[in-house]
Amino acid sequence: MSEVQSVGVIGLGSMGMGAAKSCVRAGLDVYGFDLNPEALEELGSYGAKAVSTNAVEYAKELDAVLVLVVNARQVNTVLFETGLAAALKPNTPVMVSATISAEDAKQIENKLAEHRLVMLDAPVSGGSAKAESGEMTVMASGATSTFEALQPVLDATAAKVYNIGEAIGLGATVKVIHQLLAGVHIAAGAEAMALAARAGIPLDLMYDVVTNAAGNSWMFENRMKHVVDGDYTPNSMVDIFVKDLNLVSDTAQDLKFPTPLSSAALNMFVSASNAGFGQEDDSAVIKIFDGIELPGVEK
Amino acid sequence: MSEVQSVGVIGLGSMGMGAAKSCVRAGLDVYGFDLNPEALEELGSYGAKAVSTNAVEYAKELDAVLVLVVNARQVNTVLFETGLAAALKPNTPVMVSATISAEDAKQIENKLAEHRLVMLDAPVSGGSAKAESGEMTVMASGATSTFEALQPVLDATAAKVYNIGEAIGLGATVKVIHQLLAGVHIAAGAEAMALAARAGIPLDLMYDVVTNAAGNSWMFENRMKHVVDGDYTPNSMVDIFVKDLNLVSDTAQDLKFPTPLSSAALNMFVSASNAGFGQEDDSAVIKIFDGIELPGVEK
């Protein structure tokens, strides 16, 4: 197989847009696909070869595909319901970077194989800033030949690529377990800050103590700042962790394994979503606690 | 009151020994008290003015007292049951740095006041290395005059002193809430690594991914290394978090406040203690999960 020179990026949200721009800067021929016309215009003016709401019309131009949509349902829609998989050249490598379950990853691999396409199970992390700078973390599994085929795309978009093994599903599982920690840490931060508020501890001082001590986490430092500032403008929403901790729950159920902490954290995020905070920043999970006053939040 | 020149350090465990040595280096006259003769010998040869199992005989020499024992019961024993509080000079400032509840802190303050002694509610964190280098983090509450009186001791032992307010109990509460986060993060790390083991993910790889991504915490990075190495030599034991998460539970109960995550984490540490792992490193909480193979652990 010849070297990948063109790549179709499907899903131009905060991660996909950054990855697509990083591919443009690396000299790849980038085709961007999304339903949002503003995103298409942004990538078009950044130097994409073409942008469109319809990937199928460019299928024969693509040496590789990077899918950066939100969930497994969207992956299935953009690859199969649109007819894209049927239209791609045989052996085109498809890098699936949505956060999905191992079971979903395996089903998608099987459906791609029916079209003689190969898959890299390649969830990403790092946030939009790292995507923008081409420094995502990729936790991937798949055949060595698929890693090799996608090397130009990985070089363009990732600072660190973990090769977890050959079996599709391993990449998805590592990402899901990572999200277990991320979600529990946000919920634990909220529980601690809510208890501090109830005890009359100034939240800015509590934040300062924790971030300078062994109780700190990446998520506490990043998200509880939003609580201190009373700013729940969403970077990542409560409903994203409803989804991701449900993936943890699905994974645990498949393995018949107990997850007491992430189960409790899931219940907290679902309670927050049910109370009307699903579209707010995920730190808004703290709003499930009654009887406290929070900066910038009217009761 | 004249400047503090002599300090009695009660409790020469890993934190107390480091604090006492830091006071020696700062030029204070240090009196060290513990029941362990090896600890007394170590501090004596480091340059303490005197060391003893009995603090009362040196009570009149002490301008200040630093109590660094494990829990509230020990604080009560060393200050009151021995007769030390009755023997100290009036207005001697007593810095109580055990991890205790706000209610215990207030009761200890009241009993010290009966002996005309003043208290700084001053829990510490940072671990033994920071204690050794005189760079503990102190989260303290008390009268401004008590902070001022203890300034030479704080300067000698702490890199950072948080003044949380005047009311005794605030310092204790901030430490307890900090421990909520520390305990939940250890338990969450164990849950994530156990699930990874069950899913067939190599634990060293899972550790590497998490410590380079947004799912990281101070405790994950520090404690899950022990799991990867299969080394459960105790730095801090499972039973310490049984104690500290019970303090979280007591605090929440006093405030009638729910703590779903730390309640679940407490149950995990209690289960580990009940299974015989109470004296192992706190990362041994992962051993409550059946059906997995862990590095260095025979089933």
Side-chain angles (χ1 to χ4, degrees), chain A residues 178 185 191 215-216 218 261-262, chain B residues 178 185 191 215-216 218 261-262:
Chain A
H178 176 273
H185 292 170
E191 180 171 308
N216 198 23
W218 194 100
L261 286 170
S262 55
Chain B
H178 176 272
H185 292 169
E191 180 171 309
N216 199 22
W218 194 99
L261 286 171
S262 55

